[in-house]
Amino acid sequence: MFLSITVILCLILGSYAGDLPPNITKCKVDDNVCVAQKIEEVLRKYPHGNPDIGLPNMSALPIKNVIISRASGSSPIQMNLKFVQFVTDGLQNGQVLNTTGWTKNPKIFEGNFFYPKLVVKGDYESDGRILFLSMNGRGKGLFELTNCHFNVKTKVVLEKRSNGKNYAKITKLKLVLSPEKAYTNMDNLVNGSPELSKTINDVINENWRDVWQEISNGLNAALGEVLENLLTGIFNELSYDDFYAE
């Protein structure tokens, strides 16, 4: 989610690899509606990425070594869950509800997005318990999130460098993902027992809202860290003064 938004914004506002494709135009400063429209335009025209402009395949974005949740407190859900690696699917179908903050002297960038379905799948490791059911396994895991609302808020300051141009520096980033429904399928949750693994998956899906409360902070924090690192790298290379059309 985070990766596609970041790269697309840099493509439509300036240039990730030097020049935009001729069929994608820059927006004028303060034209937040244009920015929202261009994000959707890039998603529609390049759903599987475009290596010439540095845009990744948004139908299969890979991420490694993400801790989703840690067992703590007195919750009936005590789950340590880590994805050794996973990919996301569904970002190419995003809808931009609105985005703000793209001014000449920005303070906060904010975007709200909607995704009909997002899928996170990959190799996981987990132990702990769900209610009275213990688990200790590793294998293939999947989260399917439907009707997702996605908000990113980024605080920035402009710093002038020796070349006389201003560059955006992130001081804080917050990401919140809220699904209307979540479905989970984790094989081998109880090592060597398909029956118990299925039972725990059924319990997770029957109590998905409670499970989401336990894993959402970790997932949002992990995705936010990835987004902040990527944004920082791009903002370090691309002057904010060059983001907009004349």
Side-chain angles (χ1 to χ4, degrees), residues 142-205:
L142 175 146
F143 291 131
E144 185 176 285
L145 311 174
T146 56
N147 294 336
C148 302
H149 289 268
F150 181 72
N151 174 270
V152 178
K153 184 178 292 186
T154 307
K155 292 185 178 180
V156 298
V157 294
L158 293 184
E159 294 183 340
K160 182 163 288 189
R161 295 187 182 174
S162 57
N163 62 4
K165 292 185 176 183
N166 291 299
Y167 290 76
K169 179 182 178 182
I170 297 172
T171 60
K172 186 176 182 180
L173 184 145
K174 184 177 181 179
L175 178 153
V176 177
L177 170 65
S178 302
E180 184 177 292
K181 178 73 174 178
Y183 168 78
T184 302
N185 185 15
M186 315 283 280
D187 66 14
N188 200 41
L189 272 171
V190 178
N191 190 23
S193 177
E195 296 81 6
L196 284 176
S197 295
K198 181 182 183 304
T199 297
I200 294 178
N201 274 293
D202 290 344
V203 170
I204 290 174
N205 288 316

Side-chain angles (χ1 to χ4, degrees), residues 97-108:
L97 303 180
N98 59 70
T99 183
T100 60
W102 301 96
T103 64
K104 195 68 176 178
N105 186 24
K107 298 286 191 292
I108 297 176

Side-chain angles (χ1 to χ4, degrees), residues 1-2 5 111-115 118 148-152 175-178 223 227:
M1 300 155 267
F2 32 97
I5 294 165
N112 291 289
F113 307 83
F114 175 79
Y115 297 90
L118 291 174
C148 302
H149 289 268
F150 181 72
N151 174 270
V152 178
L175 178 153
V176 177
L177 170 65
S178 302
L223 300 181
L227 173 57

